[in-house]
Amino acid sequence: MINLKNISKVYRTKTIETTALNKIDLQVAKGEFLSIMGPSGCGKSTLLNIIGLLDQPSGGELSIDGETTSNYKGKSLSKFRNEKLGFIFQSFHLIPDLNIIDNVEVPLLYRKINAKQRKEMAAKALESVGLANRKKHFPNQLSGGQKQRVAIARAIVGNPEIILADEPTGNLDSHMGDEVMNILSNLNKDNKTTIIMVTHDERMAKKTDRLIRLYDGSQVA
Amino acid sequence: MISNYFKLAWRVLGRRKFFTFISLFTISFTLGILMVILSFMQSELGSNAPLSNKDELIHLPYIELRKTHFDTIPEIDTLITNGTTKYDTTYQYKSRGTSTSSSTFNKNIIVDYLSDIPFTKQVTVYSDNNLFDFFINGVKLTMQLMFADENYFKIFDHKIIAGRAFESSDITNANQVMVISSLSAEKYFGRTENILGEEIKIDEKTYEIIGVYQHSGKIISFVSPDAILPHTILDESDSDPFYFGGFRAIYQKDANIEINQLKKEIVNASANIPLDHPANDFGFNEVKLVPRTYNEMFAQGIYYDRDPTKSHRIIKWTVLLLLLFFIALPTINLINLNTSRILERSSEIGVRKSFGATDTNIVTQFIAENIIQTFIGGIIGLCLAILMISFLNNIGYMANAKLIINFKFFLYSFIVTLFFGIVSGAIPAYRMSKLPIVNALKENKL
């Protein structure tokens, strides 16, 4: 489903050239739960951003569902991200001015779905992460674990085929981390959603189908 | 989507109270002040009673007599031809300077020589306002009196609220009557009703009140006298030289001609005025008339140039530039505020784009927020303008002036402010929409 061939990412300034990713080859099957580990600065998040089409590789080719992603530009790229991908960030990135249900609704705003249907879909997503009773709360009224569950609800509300999670348990204690991990595992099992997760936590990584390790921008395991 | 924008805008306004205060203050204060300025301009320069015909009027306030001095001037050149000095003298006859004398008209000049001008619908002769003191119940009062003819009330559509305006017989017979303003009636009698037939004694002569007109609320003197009397009461023939006196003329053009055509006719009519009168003992050899439109006359009152069109042009552009500057300053301020506000929300932009927002979606969102904000500011601005105008009217900041809220101007001001509101939101939003998602997310201000 996801195919990375010789993916490189080089950051250049006038004086320095830094290689963040060095010729990564990776295939991720549909419905697979993959975790990426490695020390800080090894390129894990960069790789996730490239797979999520948030960043562009300096070299190599990425294809998803057989489509080369470099063909997507502007509106088609936005549409692709909106329909196929869901993101979960370490620091949640909820919009503080919107209440929980409106936050979950964000991906649906960019589809032609009427307000009533959007509300229903967002409520259902919140229910699936156990936050149906917090719809009208604002992010600053929630705990870290609850915020991350809202972020998961936002990621899954549009039924994406792929979820990209960047250290989703990084800011949570072990109990909350386990809760979030269970939700992701269930999502993977029940909906066959492909999940790629970056983590520092060996314990969490072991709960996934496959683990790859990066070191200095190269895949080492 | 729209309700989402509205919700978000409302929350953003509520969450960043200081920013909201500065933004709303900027918008509402600008609109409020703009409204007061426009209200003043509309009140003084708009086509409203008693100046509904103002765009058809030509004012002729002064007569100018000129004497150009001509001299024969010899010029002697020295030439040396074959060692012999020769003198070559030439003579030139040219102007060596001009003497001028100008003043308001003797009314007879207007009546006798300047009344019958082509393309004129009607002409009125009226005096400057003259201060007269008199006593009522032992209290000294002062009135600004104007002397005019019956056409004055045809050209200026004063609303007669009691009695009548002048008839031609009042002028022909030099009747000792007067039409007073509602403001004067209140001031002198404490009422505007039941004062017809009352008498006022001025300079040992008694004048009967035959009408009351609604006070115009304007500061332009020739539509705001305290009372108007027939000009024939004054006999200028004895007291003034032939050409000069205390009167001016206003012409109303025929409906089908351009105003400049009438101007030209008035200039040409200067040839009607005789220069061989004994009063011209200085030997003036030219009469110059400079007719001007209402706006030109108003402009000359602020910035005087001999050419009234130049005065008008300079004042018009100065006012426009000042208004533009007045709007531009808060706009630049708003752009700065919006840039910092949107920069603060770069992480939100990153999230939205991650979940499928296009650049257009982002720009539209911030523009929508700005429109909502400007709209709220506009409503506050309107309230502020109403308060300021009623305050200014109540304290009588300028004698006789009365400002009114003009909703048409409010709409124009609002559209201009909205335009700048949109621009001030769109420019930073467009820049931010182009920010790479990864960089936007790194800002992490959420």
Side-chain angles (χ1 to χ4, degrees):
Chain A
M1 182 191 198
I2 302 170
N3 194 3
L4 287 84
K5 203 171 163 186
N6 262 335
I7 291 290
S8 301
K9 180 72 183 178
V10 180
Y11 294 104
R12 289 186 182 89
T13 64
K14 279 181 184 171
T15 50
I16 303 171
E17 197 173 274
T18 310
T19 303
L21 290 175
N22 188 21
K23 295 181 179 173
I24 301 284
D25 287 311
L26 178 67
Q27 286 80 40
V28 184
K30 187 174 169 63
E32 189 178 0
F33 193 161
L34 174 78
S35 55
I36 305 171
M37 287 195 72
S40 294
C42 70
K44 305 182 297 292
S45 295
T46 305
L47 181 61
L48 200 71
N49 288 338
I50 287 172
I51 296 170
L53 311 185
L54 303 180
D55 203 355
Q56 289 189 337
S58 310
E61 192 181 291
L62 166 65
S63 59
I64 298 176
D65 283 346
E67 255 323 299
T68 305
T69 56
S70 57
N71 294 337
Y72 295 112
K73 309 268 183 219
K75 279 186 182 175
S76 65
L77 180 60
S78 297
K79 191 169 185 283
F80 185 86
R81 274 198 295 257
N82 181 257
E83 290 173 356
K84 293 259 184 188
L85 306 173
F87 297 89
I88 301 167
F89 305 101
Q90 182 183 1
S91 46
F92 325 125
H93 282 314
L94 299 179
I95 298 169
D97 298 311
L98 295 179
N99 64 23
I100 300 312
I101 194 157
D102 288 339
N103 261 289
V104 174
E105 219 186 302
V106 164
L108 306 178
L109 291 174
Y110 308 112
R111 297 183 187 182
K112 285 178 181 168
I113 299 175
N114 66 46
K116 192 183 167 202
Q117 205 181 339
R118 282 201 312 261
K119 282 276 175 279
E120 283 170 6
M121 289 170 76
K124 202 174 156 194
L126 275 174
E127 204 179 310
S128 71
V129 296
L131 285 174
N133 56 341
R134 301 286 178 131
K135 277 190 276 192
K136 297 290 173 188
H137 285 65
F138 284 88
N140 61 1
Q141 296 170 307
L142 302 182
S143 69
Q146 287 172 326
K147 282 180 190 171
Q148 197 58 294
R149 281 196 273 158
V150 175
I152 294 172
R154 180 178 62 187
I156 62 171
V157 71
N159 292 319
E161 291 171 26
I162 303 161
I163 285 183
L164 303 160
D166 192 356
E167 300 192 42
T169 59
N171 279 354
L172 306 176
D173 61 31
S174 59
H175 174 68
M176 297 261 194
D178 284 340
E179 265 187 23
V180 166
M181 201 58 204
N182 285 340
I183 294 171
L184 291 177
S185 296
N186 290 339
L187 198 63
N188 173 249
K189 279 178 195 151
D190 299 344
N191 298 358
K192 306 289 176 220
T193 307
T194 307
I195 301 177
I196 302 174
M197 178 179 77
V198 164
T199 183
H200 274 295
D201 191 334
E202 197 84 39
R203 202 168 57 87
M204 299 298 173
K206 279 179 182 165
K207 293 183 181 180
T208 64
D209 299 339
R210 182 158 64 113
L211 165 67
I212 64 161
R213 291 181 192 275
L214 296 185
Y215 190 81
D216 279 351
S218 300
Q219 188 177 342
V220 292
Chain B
M1 185 79 102
I2 297 294
S3 69
N4 202 280
Y5 287 153
F6 188 81
K7 222 184 287 181
L8 190 61
W10 190 251
R11 287 283 303 165
V12 168
L13 289 177
R15 197 161 73 97
R16 296 170 172 83
K17 290 189 175 63
F18 184 67
F19 162 78
T20 303
F21 169 74
I22 298 282
S23 295
L24 289 182
F25 178 79
T26 306
I27 296 166
S28 56
F29 192 72
T30 305
L31 256 183
I33 297 289
L34 204 61
M35 280 294 297
V36 173
I37 294 170
L38 290 174
S39 171
F40 175 77
M41 288 169 68
Q42 167 70 4
S43 163
E44 291 305 312
L45 296 170
S47 295
N48 42 43
L51 283 162
S52 304
N53 301 321
K54 108 184 156 56
D55 293 329
E56 296 177 3
L57 304 182
I58 290 286
H59 297 243
L60 189 60
Y62 305 111
I63 176 171
E64 184 176 304
L65 300 182
R66 297 161 69 93
K67 180 177 181 181
T68 308
H69 305 275
F70 289 91
D71 263 344
T72 303
I73 302 151
E75 281 180 17
I76 303 167
D77 284 336
T78 307
L79 301 170
I80 298 173
T81 311
N82 298 329
T84 310
T85 305
K86 289 183 177 176
Y87 298 99
D88 179 20
T89 305
T90 55
Y91 297 90
Q92 277 191 315
Y93 184 69
K94 64 179 184 182
S95 166
R96 298 287 286 173
T98 307
S99 301
T100 60
S101 181
S102 71
S103 178
T104 41
F105 289 88
N106 183 303
K107 66 178 177 181
N108 298 319
I109 289 285
I110 299 170
V111 173
D112 296 341
Y113 303 106
L114 298 174
S115 291
D116 190 19
I117 289 181
F119 309 128
T120 302
K121 185 178 175 187
Q122 51 202 353
V123 56
T124 180
V125 52
Y126 69 98
S127 74
D128 284 338
N129 293 344
N130 299 278
L131 288 177
F132 282 88
D133 293 335
F134 57 96
F135 293 85
I136 289 182
N137 300 328
V139 178
K140 181 187 162 192
L141 294 171
T142 303
M143 258 189 166
Q144 292 203 7
L145 302 184
M146 173 191 277
F147 299 89
D149 58 12
E150 72 274 26
N151 282 347
Y152 177 87
F153 286 101
K154 292 175 188 162
I155 287 181
F156 299 115
D157 51 339
H158 283 288
K159 186 182 176 192
I160 303 292
I161 57 174
R164 62 174 177 83
F166 293 151
E167 289 167 356
S168 56
S169 59
D170 294 318
I171 308 302
T172 314
N173 303 330
N175 290 342
Q176 291 191 196
V177 293
M178 61 162 61
V179 182
I180 72 168
S181 77
S182 55
L183 197 71
S184 309
E186 283 284 356
K187 199 167 164 186
Y188 302 123
F189 299 102
R191 62 186 194 278
T192 55
E193 292 168 351
N194 301 324
I195 59 167
L196 298 180
E198 292 274 4
E199 291 181 336
I200 292 180
K201 199 171 181 182
I202 303 169
D203 278 353
E204 303 303 318
K205 288 181 182 169
T206 303
Y207 297 87
E208 181 195 344
I209 296 171
I210 58 164
V212 182
Y213 64 89
Q214 183 69 51
H215 169 62
S216 71
K218 292 183 185 292
I219 57 170
I220 288 284
S221 61
F222 58 75
V223 289
S224 301
D226 292 325
I228 304 169
L229 291 74
H231 75 84
T232 40
I233 289 168
L234 292 179
D235 182 6
E236 281 202 317
S237 58
D238 298 332
S239 58
D240 296 293
F242 178 72
Y243 300 98
F244 303 128
F247 283 83
R248 303 165 193 260
I250 290 181
Y251 297 82
Q252 184 177 7
K253 74 175 183 72
D254 270 341
N256 302 324
I257 62 141
E258 290 293 318
I259 196 103
N260 283 335
Q261 249 177 296
L262 179 56
K263 256 184 170 180
K264 274 181 203 161
E265 292 296 337
I266 293 171
V267 170
N268 294 340
S270 62
N272 301 346
I273 299 169
L275 287 165
D276 55 356
H277 192 273
N280 184 11
D281 51 0
F282 188 71
F284 290 109
N285 49 22
E286 186 190 355
V287 176
K288 189 165 178 173
L289 300 176
V290 186
R292 53 206 84 180
T293 63
Y294 178 85
N295 290 347
E296 287 168 353
M297 184 211 62
F298 197 91
Q300 270 191 325
I302 301 167
Y303 173 82
Y304 182 80
D305 188 278
R306 280 181 66 83
D307 177 2
T309 55
K310 192 177 169 189
S311 283
H312 181 236
R313 204 167 50 241
I314 288 171
I315 291 296
K316 187 174 81 181
W317 282 107
T318 306
V319 169
L320 279 174
L321 283 174
L322 283 174
L323 285 178
L324 197 67
F325 188 65
F326 187 74
I327 294 170
L329 276 180
T331 304
I332 293 165
N333 189 20
L334 277 179
I335 289 177
N336 274 335
L337 278 171
N338 284 328
T339 304
S340 61
R341 181 185 65 137
I342 294 173
L343 271 173
E344 255 187 17
R345 293 168 65 188
S346 63
S347 179
E348 178 188 332
I349 293 170
V351 169
R352 287 182 182 274
K353 289 183 78 170
S354 303
F355 283 102
T358 60
D359 292 354
T360 314
N361 291 137
I362 299 295
V363 173
T364 311
Q365 178 194 328
F366 283 103
I367 288 177
E369 284 183 26
N370 262 41
I371 289 174
I372 291 162
Q373 177 186 286
T374 309
F375 190 74
I376 295 168
I379 291 169
I380 299 172
L382 177 63
C383 297
L384 207 64
I386 292 171
L387 279 176
M388 282 193 283
I389 284 173
S390 74
F391 175 73
L392 289 172
N393 282 338
N394 282 339
I395 62 167
Y397 77 108
M398 272 187 287
N400 302 339
K402 189 163 178 64
L403 301 181
I404 45 164
I405 287 277
N406 184 313
F407 285 92
K408 191 172 77 181
F409 276 138
F410 174 74
L411 193 67
Y412 292 157
S413 313
F414 186 67
I415 288 169
V416 170
T417 316
L418 199 61
F419 172 75
F420 284 115
I422 290 169
V423 171
S424 69
I427 292 171
Y430 178 75
R431 278 175 52 201
M432 289 306 294
S433 73
K434 296 292 175 197
L435 192 69
I437 300 176
V438 173
N439 294 357
L441 287 169
K442 275 180 190 161
E443 294 295 322
N444 195 21
K445 292 264 176 64
L446 294 184

